[in-house]
């Protein structure tokens, strides 16, 4: 952001500053209508190029949704909007009935219960596998609590359990930076589990994984659905077919088609987009 | 293996051999220096002069400043190029107390006003000089003045997410602005000459050997406590969060940490430590003037930490001691080449020893 626009923002009276609303606890997640995520009319432009163009998407509580679409369709940008990384030019984004994501900072969104696995695995390289999981662990993340935080036996057990789920129990003291690409993917999934989010956003989880690992990831994601809501972005069609109930096809920043895998694959517009590549 | 990994997790210090060595050496020095000065007769080769005791005390206050900088730079990636501003503010707070202690013993003999105010023809003490006749109040200000400035500065800088080079530049601007402000006579801090001609502290004559030794010991204790507090911080989960911020700031936000608050409190704590270092420095060197705010001083502190090895705390201590010893020797022999020597040393270390001197030792240990 340039200095001028930042200065301009200071005098913008319609703006509510984060620090003015700080202190009040955010309202709890409200799933009265059984919808956990509302994206309506989301538009994001980068220098005039519309990465998202009037995007509408609704995710039901407990749902496992796959998002597919060619490279550059705007899938990652959509996740950036949901997690507060990118602010849209237009539209609204709600988490449940009451939480306006567009008014929340990244940590507030994370604390409210949205966890994310990045497309490019980003773990804390200098920390051990164990410490990565410890950092991600759900709980009070305010400065004073963390300064004096001690792991309880239950928390330690939970970390051990997740280490087992992601298949890295022997590497717990290993520097995360020394892991292979696939292991980093798993570690990031483990971090996501530690956060105990209501909504999981998973960006291309199986890139760089072996077929067996891919299968295990599929099982894990399916087992999470129900108690959590899961949104998965993936290119691997076999993988999508193995887990998806509902598939949303994104193209040029908006939804092109939505439905079961079969109906979507037979949709002529979808065929055109994928074959026309 | 299992036992040692458990132990390393129970102890807040992950690799604490360097820190243990630091505490052992600090204790040895704190015991030896007073003995060598007070108990060994002056003619003996082992006798330490008052000058040496004071010089060592000064080095230790620099070491505390270096620890403060390492805490934010080495662990959190905040490269402050203005940290001596906090050091100088702590020093001024102590200097104001020492000025008020002079009382009517000044050249002009005014019972309340320091000499420079009489010289400027001021009739009354400015409001911000009130309270500094009380030691406890001055000590509070030693921590509060730099702490509050750091908090306010950090509040704006970190919330607007200024990072990297831009942050470094505004810290330089901060110390430069203070330099210019403190140079002005109207500011009421003695202008160009600063504060000096101190007589005593809590009634003890600053020139006496015993006071010098006591000041040295206080500095050693402050360094020990400051180091221990810093070690606790970096060994706690808070420490792992700030390292995460250093390595992947955005990622840290996405797992729910309010990065601004972490940086803000760390920066404020670091500034308060620097202020304490400055307060211990001033009675030992006998003067505080605006020159302490000079941007180059802050850059020198960064060089100490880089040369010693950042992100270890003890490396900062090693760097501060070695570089300042070299400076004492070199500026005595060839004063004009000091800055070039420092610059060359910095370049050599960053190119060949990115982990600094202690990194070299650790590498030796690992290969042995
Ligand atoms: N920060 C950015 N600046 C400019 N263009 C961007 C930025 N982020 C994404 N884009 C563009 O937006 C489009 C959508 O990107 P992305 O959301 O990453 O697509 P996908 O994840 O579906 O492959 C791409 O054309 C990309 O080049
Ligand atoms: Mg993408």
């Amino acid at each position: 952001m340039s200095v001028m626009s930042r200065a301009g923002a200071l005098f913008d009276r319609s703006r509510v500053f984060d620090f003015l609303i700080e202190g009040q606890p955010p309202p709890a997640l409200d799933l009265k209508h059984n919808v956990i995520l509302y994206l309506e009319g989301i538009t994001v432009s980068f220098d005039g190029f519309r990465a998202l163009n009037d995007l509408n998407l609704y995710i039901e509580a407990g749902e496992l949704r796959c998002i597919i679409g060619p490279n550059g369709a705007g899938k990652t940008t959509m996740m950036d909007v949901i997690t507060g990384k990118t602010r849209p030019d237009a539209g609204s984004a709600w988490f449940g009935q009451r939480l306006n994501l567009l008014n929340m900072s990244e940590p507030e969104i994370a604390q409210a219960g949205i966890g994310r696995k990045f497309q490019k695995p980003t773990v804390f390289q200098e920390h051990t596998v164990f410490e990565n999981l410890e950092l991600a662990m759900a709980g009070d993340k305010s400065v004073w609590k963390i300064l004096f935080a001690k792991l309880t036996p239950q928390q330690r057990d939970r970390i051990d359990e997740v280490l087992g789920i992601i298949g890295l129990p022997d590497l717990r003291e290993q520097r995360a930076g020394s892991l292979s690409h696939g292991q980093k993917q798993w570690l990031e999934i483990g971090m996501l589990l530690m956060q105990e989010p209501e909504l999981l956003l998973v960006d291309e989880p199986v890139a760089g994984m072996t077929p067996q690992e891919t299968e295990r990831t599929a099982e894990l994601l399916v087992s999470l659905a129900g108690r959590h809501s899961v949104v998965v972005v993936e290119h691997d069609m076999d993988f999508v077919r193995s887990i998806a109930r509902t598939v949303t096809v994104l193209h040029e920043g908006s939804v092109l088609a939505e439905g079961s895998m079969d109906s979507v694959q037979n949709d002529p517009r979808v065929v055109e987009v994928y074959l026309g590549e | 293996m299992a036992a040692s990994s458990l132990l390393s997790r129970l102890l807040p210090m992950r690799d604490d051999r360097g820190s243990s060595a630091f505490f052992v050496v600090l204790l040895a020095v704190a015991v030896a220096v007073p003995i060598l000065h007070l108990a060994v007769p002056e003619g003996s080769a082992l006798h330490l002069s008052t000058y040496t005791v004071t010089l060592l005390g000064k080095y230790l206050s620099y070491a505390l400043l270096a620890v403060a900088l390492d805490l934010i730079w080495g662990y959190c990636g905040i490269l402050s190029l203005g940290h001596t501003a906090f050091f100088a503010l702590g020093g001024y707070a102590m200097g104001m107390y020492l000025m008020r202690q002079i009382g009517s013993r000044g050249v002009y003999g005014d019972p309340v006003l320091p000499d420079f105010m009489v010289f400027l023809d001021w009739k009354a003490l400015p409001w911000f000089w009130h309270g500094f006749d009380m030691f406890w109040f001055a000590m509070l200000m030693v921590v509060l003045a730099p702490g509050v400035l750091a908090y306010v500065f950090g509040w704006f800088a970190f919330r607007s997410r200024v990072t990297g080079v831009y942050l470094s530049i505004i810290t330089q601007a901060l110390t430069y602005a203070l330099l210019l402000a403190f140079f002005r006579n109207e500011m009421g801090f003695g202008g160009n000459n600063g504060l000096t001609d101190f007589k005593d502290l809590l009634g003890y004559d600053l020139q006496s050997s015993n006071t010098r030794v006591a000041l040295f010991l206080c500095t050693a204790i402050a360094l020990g406590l400051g180091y221990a507090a810093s070690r606790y911080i970096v060994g706690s989960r808070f420490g792992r969060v700030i390292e995460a911020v250093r390595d992947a700031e955005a990622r840290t936000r996405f797992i729910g940490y309010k990065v601004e608050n972490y940086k803000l409190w760390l920066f404020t704590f670091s500034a308060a430590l620097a202020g304490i270092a400055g307060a211990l420095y001033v009675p030992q060197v006998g003067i505080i003037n605006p020159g302490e705010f000079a941007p180059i001083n802050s850059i020198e502190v960064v060089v100490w930490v880089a040369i010693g090895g950042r992100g270890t705390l003890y490396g900062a201590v090693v760097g501060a001691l070695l570089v300042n010893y070299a400076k004492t020797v070199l500026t005595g022999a060839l004063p004009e080449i000091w800055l070039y020597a420092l610059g060359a040393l910095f370049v050599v270390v960053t190119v060949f020893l990115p982990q600094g001197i202690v990194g070299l030792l650790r590498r030796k240990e690992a290969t042995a």
Side-chain angles (χ1 to χ4, degrees):
Chain A
M1 206 194 294
S2 76
V3 175
M4 283 314 285
S5 67
R6 193 174 285 154
L10 274 177
F11 297 104
D12 179 357
R13 281 161 173 253
S14 64
R15 171 148 181 222
V16 180
F17 287 96
D18 293 346
F19 61 82
L20 290 179
I21 49 175
E22 216 172 46
Q24 326 169 349
L29 179 62
D30 177 356
L31 299 175
K32 206 162 52 217
H33 297 296
N34 209 35
V35 175
I36 195 164
L37 182 71
Y38 297 80
L39 296 182
E40 287 175 343
I42 298 282
T43 298
V44 172
S45 308
F46 295 116
D47 302 321
F49 167 77
R50 291 196 167 188
L52 292 179
N53 188 6
D54 193 22
L55 174 77
N56 295 295
L57 185 76
Y58 306 91
I59 305 293
E60 279 178 27
E63 184 183 358
L64 171 57
R65 174 76 63 96
C66 279
I67 314 264
I68 60 172
N71 261 330
K75 306 179 296 288
T76 298
T77 306
M78 180 192 80
M79 292 199 168
D80 289 345
V81 169
I82 300 169
T83 52
K85 187 177 179 196
T86 300
R87 299 291 176 191
D89 303 313
S92 57
W94 290 81
F95 186 41
Q97 307 300 307
R98 283 205 230 147
L99 292 168
N100 184 349
L101 294 173
L102 302 187
N103 283 343
M104 296 162 74
S105 67
E106 301 98 314
E108 283 166 348
I109 292 171
Q111 286 283 351
I114 297 184
R116 174 171 183 186
K117 192 204 98 45
F118 287 78
Q119 178 171 355
K120 182 170 160 284
T122 36
V123 296
F124 300 113
Q125 312 264 359
E126 298 297 327
H127 293 69
T128 65
V129 169
F130 185 94
E131 288 167 343
N132 268 275
L133 296 176
E134 180 201 31
L135 283 173
M137 188 169 60
D140 190 339
K141 286 174 176 165
S142 62
V143 169
W144 289 104
K145 281 279 160 42
I146 290 293
L147 184 58
F148 300 108
K150 287 264 178 306
L151 281 176
T152 64
Q154 292 90 323
Q155 290 173 326
R156 204 172 277 283
D157 289 348
R158 175 64 186 152
I159 295 178
D160 285 335
E161 187 189 343
V162 169
L163 277 169
I165 294 172
I166 62 177
L168 301 174
D170 298 333
L171 300 179
R172 57 188 296 156
E173 299 301 329
Q174 189 90 229
R175 249 185 84 245
S178 69
L179 299 180
S180 72
H181 185 79
Q183 286 168 332
K184 283 183 188 164
Q185 292 273 48
W186 276 107
L187 178 54
E188 236 200 305
I189 292 172
M191 291 167 74
L192 196 52
L193 296 177
M194 290 305 301
Q195 288 179 66
E196 293 168 23
E198 296 292 328
L199 172 63
L200 290 80
L201 306 176
V202 193
D203 203 347
E204 307 206 8
V206 300
M209 283 190 179
T210 63
Q212 292 93 318
E213 285 176 327
T214 302
E215 202 172 310
R216 262 174 56 211
T217 309
E219 278 168 26
L220 179 66
L221 292 176
V222 170
S223 75
L224 289 171
R227 272 177 302 137
H228 309 264
S229 314
V230 185
V231 175
V232 186
V233 163
E234 196 39 80
H235 273 302
D236 183 331
M237 284 304 156
D238 293 331
F239 177 80
V240 172
R241 185 185 301 281
S242 70
I243 63 171
R245 286 145 227 186
T246 314
V247 177
T248 298
V249 184
L250 232 57
H251 178 55
E252 292 178 353
S254 23
V255 173
L256 182 69
E258 202 164 274
S260 71
M261 188 69 184
D262 284 331
S263 73
V264 160
Q265 271 196 321
N266 293 324
D267 187 317
R269 290 170 305 171
V270 176
V271 173
E272 188 191 340
V273 164
Y274 269 93
L275 296 181
E277 256 190 328
Chain B
M1 174 65 216
S4 76
S5 80
L6 184 68
L7 197 68
S8 73
R9 198 136 359 92
L10 288 176
L11 284 172
M13 305 173 190
R14 263 187 287 178
D15 60 324
D16 75 331
R17 290 184 53 190
S19 292
S20 309
F22 162 79
F23 281 113
V24 170
V25 172
L26 183 67
L27 187 68
V29 168
V31 171
V33 167
I35 292 177
L36 293 180
H37 177 57
L38 297 175
V40 175
E42 239 167 86
S44 162
L46 287 174
H47 175 78
L48 285 184
S49 65
T50 313
Y51 170 78
T52 310
V53 173
T54 303
L55 191 65
L56 291 174
K58 190 175 100 170
Y59 288 173
L60 293 190
S61 72
Y62 283 152
L64 182 56
L65 173 61
V67 167
L69 182 78
D70 193 25
L71 198 53
I72 56 166
W73 183 37
Y75 289 89
C76 198
I78 302 169
L79 176 55
S80 169
L81 292 180
H83 236 49
T84 46
F86 306 119
F87 179 85
L89 285 176
Y92 266 98
M94 175 60 102
M96 288 163 80
Y97 166 77
L98 295 172
M99 287 307 267
R100 301 279 320 256
Q101 291 300 293
I102 297 172
S104 52
R105 287 170 294 174
V107 176
Y108 296 107
D110 191 294
V112 177
L113 295 188
D115 278 347
F116 76 88
M117 293 188 194
V118 181
F119 183 77
L120 290 173
D121 212 16
W122 289 8
K123 298 292 173 235
L125 210 57
W127 62 268
F128 49 85
W129 274 78
H130 286 278
F132 278 94
D133 50 332
M134 292 174 285
F135 185 70
W136 68 267
F137 180 82
M139 291 309 101
L140 198 61
M141 286 302 136
V142 160
V143 176
L144 278 187
V148 169
L149 176 68
Y151 189 91
V152 172
F153 176 86
W155 199 89
F156 285 105
F158 299 138
R159 259 161 221 262
S160 39
R161 298 196 183 176
V162 180
T163 54
V165 174
Y166 299 101
L167 187 78
S168 300
I169 290 171
I170 58 173
T171 57
Q172 278 263 287
L174 173 77
T175 197
Y176 190 61
L178 286 168
L179 170 76
L180 296 181
F182 275 71
F183 255 125
R184 293 161 50 91
N185 282 328
E186 308 87 272
M187 275 289 283
F189 294 104
N192 194 5
N193 299 321
L195 310 175
T196 187
D197 291 332
F198 309 134
K199 302 275 187 272
D200 46 31
L201 193 164
L202 287 171
Y204 297 103
D205 179 9
L206 280 174
Q207 306 310 323
S208 87
S209 274
N210 287 337
T211 312
R212 292 294 167 133
V213 167
L215 281 170
F216 169 82
L217 283 177
C218 287
T219 315
I221 292 169
L223 175 60
L225 291 178
Y227 190 101
S230 302
R231 211 44 176 126
Y232 175 82
I233 290 174
V234 301
S236 71
R237 198 184 301 167
F238 179 99
R240 294 191 280 285
V241 173
I242 59 170
E243 286 180 300
V245 170
R246 175 195 66 196
D247 298 338
E249 178 166 339
R251 187 73 180 93
T252 315
R253 288 202 173 89
F254 288 116
I255 52 175
Y257 292 99
K258 294 194 170 168
V259 167
E260 298 74 33
N261 293 349
Y262 279 80
K263 286 184 173 177
L264 186 55
W265 284 111
L266 189 72
F267 192 67
T268 304
F269 176 76
S270 169
L273 271 190
I276 293 170
L280 289 159
Y281 168 85
V282 166
Q284 302 191 74
V285 300
I287 183 168
I288 173 81
N289 65 31
E292 296 296 336
F293 287 107
I296 185 73
N297 286 10
S298 292
I299 294 173
E300 270 193 45
V301 182
V302 170
V303 177
W304 307 341
V305 176
I307 288 176
R310 67 186 176 119
T312 59
L313 298 182
Y314 54 85
V317 174
V318 169
L321 299 184
L322 282 184
V323 176
N324 279 294
Y325 178 68
K327 183 175 184 176
T328 305
V329 172
L330 256 183
T331 47
L334 298 157
E336 59 283 349
I337 71 158
W338 166 245
L339 271 184
Y340 298 102
L342 186 70
L345 195 58
F346 181 57
V347 171
V348 167
V349 166
T350 42
V351 172
F352 296 105
L353 293 175
Q355 317 266 353
I357 291 168
V358 301
L360 188 69
L361 296 179
R362 280 194 300 185
R363 205 156 60 195
K364 277 237 177 76
E365 199 174 277
T367 54

